[in-house]
Amino acid sequence: MPPQVSKNKNNYSFTIADLMKMNDRCDEALREIFHMSYVVMCQLLGTIHQHIHCLYKLSDAVSMLDMLLSLANVCTISDYVRPEFTDTLAIKQGRHPILERIVGQQPVSNNSYISEGSNFVIITGPNMSGKSTYLKQVALCQIMAQIAFRVADQIFTRIGVDDDFETNSSTFMLEMKEISYIIHNASDRSLIIVDELGRGTSAEEGIGICHSVCEFLLGLKAFTLFATHFLELCQLESLYPNAENQHMEVQHTRSGDTGLRAAEMTALPSNIIQEAKMIASKAKHHSDPETQRQRAVYKLATRLLQTARNSRLDPESLRMYLKGLKKQYEAELLAAGQPAAIDTEEE
Ligand SMILES: Nc1ncnc2c1ncn2[C@@H]1O[C@H](COP(=O)(O)OP(=O)(O)OP(=O)(O)O)[C@@H](O)[C@H]1O
Ligand SMILES: [Mg+2]
């Protein structure tokens, strides 16, 4: 039989009957191999399936061993310390355990102190100042400490500003669902970490929601860290003895409208919603010059008090900080239509 020739575009193929037969045999052999593999795999799965619980146990044991080995390793090569358990959360010179691995150099360490007397800490500071990192650091330290001991009954977090496509939730709705879960489930022994709340809506409504949620949480004895850009929340410190302000610097944002209706659609208790509405409407009417001036004075006074109480800055840095405060105060007075005139820079 003469060879068969076929042309495909610029390619020519040649074959003969013997080659075609061999090709068919190859295909048949391959099919047989697939079939035999399938039968063997089915038999194997049938056998494994009877002992699947052992495999789960084995993987549990291996992952536990892996975790213990990693912990032993990290404890040996780092300067980690053994935690002591009291009714206070105190971390001296704490660092984010993952950040220090990633950045390569030693991250800036922070102290944390939360006790029964000041169990609600409001953290303010400009963008990228490390608020979120600090919150995660406290949560991670708590989890690492609790791996061996059980202290807080649960750790609740509201972190991140993503929307959730799967449950059809906007950023704001997701925030409301998460905070509502915390409100319904937190106990006096919980550690609650909230990284920004109510930022997915207007500043006024966001402040209202934050304020009423904070007031609810202040009623619990749970240790709470609440990072926010709403400086209005710092007023809580003067209203509640167990609230404390901590800040790296200050930044103020204001914009648009809408949102409380969306909050009503979640399971937030109605009294919180009512109060949020009241405070939101108050915040809206707070913009008369005299109120603005009083706020600026109040803010300056609390910042100065806080600096006098807590500052560990050296004289030069303190001078810079106070200068910044003065500048901000003057800008706020100007925005309130008042002449800005303070000359003191001293502590
Ligand atoms: N203690 C630290 N030491 C060194 N770098 C840090 C520290 N904390 C944060 N950073 C760096 O700064 C970046 C920003 O920090 P972070 O996201 O915590 O800021 P933020 O205050 O939450 O900002 P925003 O207000 O925009 O949410 C981090 O990705 C990290 O790389
Ligand atoms: Mg943040």
Side-chain angles (χ1 to χ4, degrees):
M1 198 177 163
Q4 289 181 15
V5 182
S6 58
K7 182 178 183 252
N8 184 11
K9 287 187 184 166
N10 295 330
N11 301 322
Y12 288 91
S13 310
F14 301 87
T15 188
I16 53 172
D18 284 351
L19 269 180
M20 285 163 75
K21 267 189 215 155
M22 278 191 253
N23 222 9
D24 286 346
R25 277 172 56 196
C26 273
D27 286 346
E28 205 170 312
L30 196 63
R31 271 198 297 276
E32 208 165 314
I33 289 169
F34 283 149
H35 179 70
M36 282 162 66
S37 308
Y38 177 74
V39 171
V40 170
M41 284 303 289
C42 284
Q43 282 172 354
L44 186 66
L45 281 177
T47 316
I48 290 175
H49 201 253
Q50 297 163 14
H51 308 288
I52 197 83
H53 60 285
C54 293
L55 280 178
Y56 278 125
K57 273 191 184 165
L58 186 69
S59 91
D60 258 3
V62 169
S63 44
M64 173 62 86
L65 262 178
D66 186 37
M67 188 192 75
L68 292 175
L69 194 69
S70 309
L71 284 177
N73 184 39
V74 86
C75 291
T76 318
I77 59 171
S78 327
D79 53 351
Y80 284 18
V81 291
R82 184 191 292 262
E84 281 174 31
F85 292 92
T86 62
D87 55 2
T88 301
L89 190 157
I91 303 171
K92 198 173 170 196
Q93 304 276 292
R95 303 185 302 268
H96 191 298
I98 300 171
L99 184 68
E100 71 175 336
R101 300 271 143 180
I102 297 173
V103 294
Q105 64 200 40
Q106 191 91 323
V108 179
S109 53
N110 293 294
N111 295 339
S112 318
Y113 187 83
I114 317 178
S115 63
E116 201 187 335
S118 60
N119 65 324
F120 194 94
V121 181
I122 299 162
I123 299 158
T124 51
N127 295 109
M128 293 292 284
S129 60
K131 300 182 296 298
S132 303
T133 310
Y134 173 70
L135 296 185
K136 289 175 195 162
Q137 167 188 316
V138 174
L140 280 172
C141 287
Q142 179 74 23
I143 290 168
M144 284 164 75
Q146 277 190 225
I147 285 174
F149 298 88
R150 201 165 166 76
V151 185
D153 64 350
Q154 279 187 76
I155 299 177
F156 292 98
T157 59
R158 136 100 284 279
I159 290 178
V161 285
D162 296 334
D163 41 13
D164 189 345
F165 214 58
E166 285 178 17
T167 57
N168 191 22
S169 298
S170 70
T171 309
F172 180 74
M173 282 304 280
L174 199 61
E175 279 188 3
M176 291 302 108
K177 282 181 187 171
E178 286 178 358
I179 201 69
S180 131
Y181 178 81
I182 293 175
I183 282 173
H184 286 293
N185 294 285
S187 80
D188 287 355
R189 287 178 60 78
S190 306
L191 172 64
I192 303 169
I193 289 188
V194 182
D195 188 4
E196 315 264 6
L197 181 70
R199 287 198 75 195
T201 182
S202 75
E204 286 84 4
E205 286 170 312
I207 292 164
I209 288 168
C210 274
H211 206 285
S212 53
V213 166
C214 281
E215 288 200 318
F216 177 86
L217 294 177
L218 273 157
L220 296 178
K221 285 187 188 143
F223 287 176
T224 308
L225 288 168
F226 198 105
T228 182
H229 283 283
F230 296 137
L231 300 179
E232 286 80 355
L233 295 185
C234 295
Q235 295 170 11
L236 286 167
E237 194 195 37
S238 52
L239 299 174
Y240 292 88
N242 57 330
E244 190 184 310
N245 291 336
Q246 289 183 4
H247 68 102
M248 299 164 192
E249 258 190 70
V250 289
Q251 184 176 321
H252 204 104
T253 52
R254 276 193 180 282
S255 63
D257 218 334
T258 76
L260 276 166
R261 251 178 295 141
E264 277 174 319
M265 285 161 66
T266 68
L268 267 180
S270 60
N271 54 339
I272 290 197
I273 298 276
Q274 286 310 321
E275 206 188 342
K277 279 185 179 170
M278 200 182 73
I279 293 162
S281 69
K282 263 191 195 169
K284 276 178 191 155
H285 295 114
H286 263 190
S287 49
D288 65 282
E290 180 52 22
T291 314
Q292 276 186 33
R293 191 192 66 80
Q294 283 177 5
R295 276 172 144 195
V297 172
Y298 176 80
K299 210 159 80 185
L300 179 70
T302 49
R303 291 283 171 275
L304 285 175
L305 252 175
Q306 216 173 23
T307 313
R309 249 193 258 149
N310 305 325
S311 170
R312 290 190 187 163
L313 295 173
D314 58 76
E316 184 52 27
S317 316
L318 189 62
R319 204 174 69 80
M320 294 299 293
Y321 174 71
L322 290 176
K323 229 175 166 180
L325 274 188
K326 181 189 167 197
K327 230 175 167 179
Q328 198 190 344
Y329 174 69
E330 285 174 347
E332 283 169 3
L333 278 193
L334 221 64
Q338 308 260 335
I342 49 168
D343 297 323
T344 47
E345 267 177 37
E346 296 83 34
E347 194 170 345

